[in-house]
Amino acid sequence: QSVLTQPPSVSAAPGQKVTISCSGSSSNIGDNYVSWYQQLPGTSPKLLIYENNKRPSGIPDRFSGSKSGTSATLGITGLQTGDEADYYCGTWDNSLSAGVFGGGTKLTVL
Amino acid sequence: QVQLVESGGGVVQPGGSLRLSCAASGFTFSNYGMHWVRQAPGKGLECVAFIRYEGISKYYADSVKGRFTISRDNSKNTLYLLMNSLRAEDTAVYYCAKAKENIVSFPIVNWGQGTLVTVSS
């Protein structure tokens, strides 16, 4: 049982838009920045979004992030088959004094 | 460019010990916080331990507290994870990962390729 809650899977057609939610509490998302990671099959995770809505250099603007209260959302527009991956949200939890991730969401581009 | 190369994984019996190492290059290692993050087969990511840049402040997941010890040698640009009293549920790929800053743990900006630890009799 992960501290942060994500839907196990989402799907959409190529070219469409999808959102992935990440729900937490006041001790984690409510009081800290959220980051998002993409893990393509068989590879290490990669940073997609940091500080709720910032993109590292090289990440296309098709990827966006937002946060409201104790929830965060990752948005992906113009879906491509190459976006099929597992997506994780992560942040620090003040009560646990540890980093926490969501359980991950598998994106399928139909 | 940033490189993180893990080593030390393998097969160990329940109750046994193992020490993982992570050789870092391409950045000033002593300026950044570092993580060990694991991923059990077919499962999600779990933060195992985090150590701040100075090597003094350390944080652990409840699942490993008292059994695992994170440490670093800034003179050797190397991160370590000493794992004792290993259990079957510790079986996972262990990633060495670099934080964006020196004392704040997230975001994680760079990841190694991972090393597999299998706990089995």
Side-chain angles (χ1 to χ4, degrees), chain B residues 23-95:
Chain B
S25 60
F27 65 102
T28 305
F29 181 71
S30 59
N31 286 354
Y32 294 91
M34 297 293 295
H35 288 266
W36 287 102
V37 177
R38 70 183 179 185
Q39 187 169 35
K43 302 296 183 181
L45 303 174
E46 181 186 16
C47 284
V48 173
F50 173 71
I51 186 169
R52 288 183 173 179
Y53 72 106
E54 83 285 62
I56 297 173
S57 299
K58 306 174 185 182
Y59 305 87
Y60 299 93
D62 285 344
S63 58
V64 306
K65 209 170 286 184
R67 300 188 299 124
F68 289 12
T69 302
I70 188 172
S71 62
R72 64 192 297 162
D73 186 335
N74 286 342
S75 68
K76 295 182 178 179
N77 294 341
T78 303
L79 178 72
Y80 303 100
L81 185 68
L82 176 61
M83 304 185 292
N84 294 325
S85 303
L86 282 161
R87 307 166 180 167
E89 54 265 35
D90 296 318
T91 294
V93 172
Y94 285 73
Y95 294 102

Side-chain angles (χ1 to χ4, degrees), chain A residues 17 20-21 29 31 38 42-43 46 48 50 57 62-63 70-71 75 77 81 85 87:
Chain A
K17 173 183 177 178
I20 298 173
S21 61
I29 292 178
D31 200 38
Q38 177 193 59
T43 70
K46 172 185 172 182
L48 272 185
Y50 68 100
S57 60
R62 300 189 298 108
F63 295 90
T70 59
S71 294
T77 60
T81 55
Y87 293 84

Side-chain angles (χ1 to χ4, degrees), chain A residues 44-55:
Chain A
S44 303
K46 172 185 172 182
L47 178 64
L48 272 185
I49 297 289
Y50 68 100
E51 292 180 7
N52 303 333
N53 55 19
K54 296 179 181 177
R55 283 177 287 106

Side-chain angles (χ1 to χ4, degrees), chain A residues 35 37 39 43-45 47 50 88 90-92 97-99 101, chain B residues 39 43-45 47 59 95 100 105-109 111-113:
Chain A
S35 46
Y37 304 85
Q39 188 175 30
T43 70
S44 303
L47 178 64
Y50 68 100
Y88 296 90
T91 188
W92 185 257
S97 290
F101 285 105
Chain B
Q39 187 169 35
K43 302 296 183 181
L45 303 174
C47 284
Y59 305 87
Y95 294 102
K100 182 174 180 287
S105 61
F106 275 77
I108 297 173
V109 293
W111 301 71
Q113 289 305 300

